Amino acid sequence: ERTPEPEQEPEQEPEHIEPPPHIEPPQSQARIAEQKPPEQKLQTQRPKDTPPAKGEFLRIGDTDSLLREPVLFKPEELTRHSAFLGGSGSGKTTLALNIIEQAALMGVPAILVDRKGDLAGYASESFWARELSDPRRASRRDLLRERVDVALFTPGHPQGRPLSIPIVPDGLAALPDFDRQQATRHAAEALAGMLDYRTSPKDKSCRTLLAQAIDQFVQLTPTTVTLEGLVKFIGDKDPLLVNAVGRLDVKLFDKLADDLDRLRLDSKVLLDSSAEKLDMDLLLGRGAHAVPGKTRLTILSTKFLGDNNNVLFWVSQLLIEVTRWLNRNPATGLQALLMFDEADMYLPAMRQPSTKQPMENLLKRARSAGFRLTMVPPRKATLLTRQCWQQSWSMISSYFCAASGERHA
């Protein structure tokens, strides 16, 4: 009898087949498994100001298929801006808050600019006490309550927690000429909006005079710019200001001074200097405002500011302050999130409100400084019209689109 040749035996033994290149050998997998608990421990003990590690993911949701798989989002992608689009009730705000909550658990603070009061639920006890049917959602809420420090500010409401916002940011005199003049123009546009100056020749001249007055004032005095100081400076027809504006009609000085004095009387609550001062460290829970072991979630409720002109003025000053803070605190990692509900109010397609130029400047600056803007337009979003997005397209990297009943996007 002939015995089988030994050379054939190795081909019949499947255990000798080499694993595919992308599969780690059993020994390497064991070593990885042993290293997982320390990695998870590091995630839960990460200091508040440390950016998320590259290996962590945000869970957006699940795929709508028979094989339901999670849809994951890398935190590094949050360093550029995003827009959440969809019809009314489609869940765009809920999805935006889902991402913000997960980022907060990773130690990333957030500021929510709330126009209608829809986002202020985090500051109410009922939000944390109501029953949730989804175990995953309930578990996350417990973690949020343990790790997040919620601060609700109510500018324009003296019985809440108002914020004092300057009519002109402090420290502009120390900036280079171009940056100073840009900041004073933005401040002048915001005040002009509150004065309801429009596009008539006289209103345009008043806008120019106001911008020049603010620019001259910040160079002449180190004190904080107030309406009282501007009224006196303009009403007295300071020679330096008269020289700076050239051939503008001197009668405009009296008109502008009267308009600013009327605004001072009408906006005492809005411009209340006795409230807490607008400060980015306060909003982000940094420095002296930090709560050990917790991440700040700040809600700025603008519903008490009154008409849209007041809201636009207040938000424009916020945008200027955020931009200045980023210039002083550059970073490559994710520093914070800034969410705007009803975003098309501040960045419309056709109009030129006082928030538009500061918003566009912040979009450009924030993407390279680790500060991500989240834009949630309303149901009929003029934000998506071609004129607006031709300028903003390259600055928005993530679009989350929900179901819409509209025939045209």
Side-chain angles (χ1 to χ4, degrees):
E1 296 181 1
R2 297 181 61 185
T3 59
E5 294 182 5
E7 291 78 9
Q8 302 300 322
E9 293 181 0
E11 298 178 358
Q12 300 175 1
E13 295 180 0
E15 61 271 20
H16 290 168
I17 297 177
E18 292 293 331
H22 64 278
I23 298 178
E24 292 289 339
Q27 294 83 359
S28 299
Q29 291 177 353
R31 285 197 299 270
I32 292 173
E34 291 174 359
Q35 294 172 1
K36 283 185 179 178
E39 291 177 357
Q40 293 173 354
K41 186 175 181 180
L42 282 174
Q43 294 171 8
T44 59
Q45 294 183 355
R46 180 184 299 109
K48 180 172 66 67
D49 291 333
T50 303
K54 289 186 177 180
E56 297 178 3
F57 289 88
L58 302 173
R59 186 188 183 102
I60 305 301
D62 298 315
T63 57
D64 187 13
S65 63
L66 292 177
L67 181 61
R68 297 183 69 85
E69 296 180 341
V71 179
L72 304 177
F73 198 66
K74 291 182 179 180
E76 301 91 84
E77 298 181 53
L78 296 182
T79 55
R80 298 192 68 183
H81 312 308
S82 62
F84 293 78
L85 316 172
S88 178
S90 62
K92 55 185 184 294
T93 301
T94 301
L95 177 55
L97 293 176
N98 171 29
I99 293 177
I100 287 174
E101 289 177 2
Q102 294 181 71
L105 293 176
M106 293 177 172
V108 181
I111 301 171
L112 315 181
V113 181
D114 183 12
R115 179 69 184 103
K116 298 183 298 184
D118 296 341
L119 310 180
Y122 291 104
S124 68
E125 188 59 32
S126 60
F127 172 83
W128 305 100
R130 72 172 183 263
E131 299 232 353
L132 297 175
S133 57
D134 184 354
R136 182 184 298 162
R137 176 66 182 155
S139 175
R140 186 198 295 174
R141 187 181 65 179
D142 292 341
L143 288 174
L144 285 170
R145 188 162 199 175
E146 177 186 341
R147 302 183 192 176
V148 172
D149 174 37
V150 179
L152 172 63
F153 295 93
T154 57
H157 194 311
Q159 277 72 50
R161 189 179 179 183
L163 274 176
S164 171
I165 193 164
I167 61 171
V168 178
D170 292 332
L172 295 186
L175 298 178
D177 288 348
F178 176 81
D179 294 336
R180 186 196 71 246
Q181 291 167 4
Q182 184 183 62
T184 54
R185 280 198 307 272
H186 291 165
E189 284 299 314
L191 280 174
M194 293 186 70
L195 295 170
D196 204 22
Y197 287 169
R198 305 207 176 177
T199 58
S200 68
K202 180 177 286 189
D203 284 354
K204 287 182 178 180
S205 297
C206 285
R207 286 173 183 267
T208 300
L209 175 57
L210 180 56
Q212 286 294 330
I214 294 174
D215 189 55
Q216 293 295 320
F217 193 93
V218 298
Q219 294 180 77
L220 292 173
T221 174
T223 59
T224 298
V225 181
T226 62
L227 283 177
E228 292 90 339
L230 273 181
V231 168
K232 187 175 188 320
F233 184 62
I234 297 169
D236 289 349
K237 301 179 180 62
D238 189 282
L240 289 175
L241 178 58
V242 174
N243 184 59
V245 299
R247 295 173 58 86
L248 277 182
D249 189 349
V250 179
K251 295 178 182 178
L252 293 174
F253 284 67
D254 293 330
K255 170 179 168 46
L256 180 57
D258 290 344
D259 290 345
L260 288 173
D261 202 37
R262 185 173 61 253
L263 178 64
R264 178 184 64 84
L265 296 173
D266 292 342
S267 305
K268 287 185 176 180
V269 175
L270 174 63
L271 302 174
D272 181 16
S273 60
S274 63
E276 291 178 271
K277 184 179 178 182
L278 176 66
D279 177 64
M280 286 300 294
D281 284 346
L282 170 65
L283 301 186
L284 297 177
R286 295 165 60 106
H289 307 285
V291 177
K294 292 202 172 188
T295 301
R296 176 61 59 88
L297 178 63
T298 291
I299 304 155
L300 300 176
S301 177
T302 62
K303 64 183 293 186
F304 304 107
L305 290 175
D307 62 27
N308 285 349
N309 286 336
N310 289 349
V311 175
L312 293 171
F313 166 77
W314 203 95
V315 173
S316 69
Q317 300 305 307
L318 170 67
L319 294 169
I320 293 171
E321 183 61 28
V322 173
T323 303
R324 295 186 65 207
W325 184 86
L326 288 176
N327 291 334
R328 298 191 300 266
N329 298 272
T332 55
L334 182 61
Q335 294 199 81
L337 305 178
L338 177 57
M339 175 179 170
F340 288 92
D341 204 11
E342 304 289 327
D344 72 324
M345 177 180 181
Y346 314 114
L347 189 62
M350 303 300 294
R351 294 180 295 107
Q352 295 289 331
S354 57
T355 53
K356 188 168 186 177
Q357 189 61 53
M359 179 72 83
E360 291 177 346
N361 291 343
L362 181 57
L363 282 167
K364 296 173 185 176
R365 178 70 185 93
R367 59 180 177 172
S368 60
F371 210 94
R372 180 248 197 160
L373 272 67
T374 298
M375 317 292 283
V376 184
R379 181 173 65 88
K380 292 185 178 179
T382 57
L383 185 69
L384 287 179
T385 57
R386 179 180 301 176
Q387 295 93 333
C388 180
W389 283 102
Q390 282 178 341
Q391 300 178 10
S392 304
W393 180 270
S394 63
M395 294 181 280
I396 304 291
S397 65
S398 301
Y399 292 86
F400 299 87
C401 301
S404 174
E406 302 293 329
R407 295 185 61 185
H408 303 287

